Amino acid sequence: MKPPRDRAIMSPHDFRKTGVKIAYGFMVIGVCLISLSMLYPFVNTFLNSLKSTEEFFAFPPPFFPSRWLWQNYKDSLDYLDIFLYFKNTLYIYAGNALVSLTFMGLAAYSLAHLKVPAKKWISLYFMSTLMIPAASYLIPNFLNLKDLGLLNTFWAFWLPAGANAFYLLILINFFEGIHKEMLESARIDGASEFRCVLSIAVPLSVPIIVTLLLLGFSTVWNDFYWSSLVLKTEKLPIGAAIYTMIIYPGSTINWNVRFAILTMTLVPPAVLFLFFQKYIIGGLSLGAVKG
């Protein structure tokens, strides 16, 4: 006996109606057009990376290259040490993830489950910083790091990551959903608060932690403005390196080679988010603000 299927929004009986078929057809066409419009930049970047210089500047430009020049990818390595900048990106990301999740996680747990004096005012203080434009505290952050002698070091990324109010907001709302009875039982058995965090809060928080890790990766991968201010060329992450050395006006690199570099940098985040998108959607839903 087959298990009953879940009831969909529209049943087979609904599809017998002509109006429903027409409306559903327009919906499918709309979704397909939106998908094509979103995929076109990625496909066009990839195909341009395989064209010759003549084909790239031809008018009207051909959509598909006449010959697939994979040599462009090999030539791109002569202009950009992509492995060096990829390693820099991973270093920055690993430090950001460790510092932000450690400090924001402990702070969120304290504000959610411990008797902290003026808890609401502290939470309000951190949440209010989300309303301040990032550009307004860019220069103060730069001057503070300069006075500390941390320019051109990865600490210029790691220290600000320890005060991420967005992470704090998400984690507080998630931790508040953990039943207090579980924590009380652990305390009765002699567990310390730190043990409660490691043994109960962290295992239950895997979905939201994975979500924040993926969002943090996207932020570091795409960053170029802050990193171009605080780091020199040899320590730049991949996004800033490409902008500074490949995209910036005055670069003499052939455009087909530039697109080869851009294609290589598109692949890791695209693959990552393709396979982990369910964690992002699920994690943000779990950590959403509750009414």
Side-chain angles (χ1 to χ4, degrees):
M1 182 178 178
K2 294 182 179 180
R5 295 186 302 175
D6 294 336
R7 176 67 163 86
I9 297 176
M10 292 185 292
S11 66
H13 174 74
D14 296 327
F15 278 102
R16 296 175 185 174
K17 302 176 183 178
T18 304
V20 173
K21 291 181 180 179
I22 295 174
Y24 188 77
F26 277 112
M27 289 171 56
V28 172
I29 293 173
V31 170
C32 292
L33 292 176
I34 293 173
S35 301
L36 289 175
S37 66
M38 297 179 68
L39 289 174
Y40 175 78
F42 298 96
V43 175
N44 191 45
T45 301
F46 171 69
L47 294 177
N48 283 332
S49 70
L50 298 171
K51 294 178 181 178
S52 63
T53 306
E54 293 76 14
E55 283 184 322
F56 188 91
F57 289 103
F59 186 83
F63 187 71
F64 292 98
S66 58
R67 288 191 307 118
W68 295 58
L69 300 178
W70 298 100
Q71 181 67 26
N72 292 339
Y73 287 87
K74 184 178 180 181
D75 294 341
S76 66
L77 299 178
D78 297 332
Y79 296 97
L80 183 71
D81 190 353
I82 193 170
F83 299 106
L84 170 64
Y85 298 113
F86 181 70
K87 181 180 69 174
N88 293 343
T89 305
L90 290 181
Y91 281 156
I92 295 173
Y93 167 67
N96 282 5
L98 179 62
V99 172
S100 61
L101 290 178
T102 300
F103 286 95
M104 293 298 96
L106 294 175
Y109 178 85
S110 301
L111 294 173
H113 289 288
L114 299 183
K115 295 181 179 179
V116 178
K119 179 190 301 186
K120 292 184 178 180
W121 290 105
I122 294 174
S123 299
L124 179 62
Y125 169 76
F126 279 104
M127 297 308 109
S128 64
T129 61
L130 293 173
M131 303 176 64
I132 303 175
S136 63
Y137 53 79
L138 195 68
I139 300 304
N141 277 350
F142 177 84
L143 295 176
N144 287 335
L145 293 170
K146 181 180 179 182
D147 293 338
L148 293 172
L150 296 178
L151 294 181
N152 199 35
T153 68
F154 293 146
W155 284 104
F157 281 85
W158 298 340
L159 284 182
N164 193 320
F166 174 72
Y167 281 24
L168 184 65
L169 172 64
I170 297 295
L171 289 170
I172 285 177
N173 283 280
F174 187 87
F175 286 151
E176 286 178 345
I178 298 176
H179 296 295
K180 297 184 182 295
E181 291 79 5
M182 299 175 63
L183 300 173
E184 289 294 339
S185 299
R187 295 185 186 112
I188 292 173
D189 291 338
S192 63
E193 292 298 338
F194 190 70
R195 183 63 182 272
C196 291
V197 173
L198 293 180
S199 301
I200 299 176
V202 172
L204 293 175
S205 306
V206 170
I208 197 65
I209 290 175
V210 172
T211 301
L212 295 179
L213 287 175
L214 292 173
L215 294 177
F217 178 82
S218 175
T219 301
V220 174
W221 189 270
N222 295 316
D223 178 77
F224 74 91
Y225 190 64
W226 175 248
S227 54
S228 63
L229 286 177
V230 299
L231 296 177
K232 294 182 179 179
T233 304
E234 68 276 1
K235 289 190 176 181
L236 290 175
I238 191 70
I242 290 176
Y243 177 79
T244 304
M245 305 172 64
I246 307 299
I247 306 300
Y248 193 76
S251 177
T252 58
I253 303 174
N254 291 335
W255 279 97
N256 49 355
V257 177
R258 295 190 195 190
F259 274 83
I261 296 173
L262 292 176
T263 302
M264 288 191 290
T265 57
L266 282 174
V267 172
V271 172
L272 190 69
F273 280 83
L274 182 64
F275 285 100
F276 290 96
Q277 60 178 330
K278 63 178 181 180
Y279 293 102
I280 299 176
I281 297 172
L284 290 179
S285 299
L286 290 171
V289 178
K290 302 174 180 62

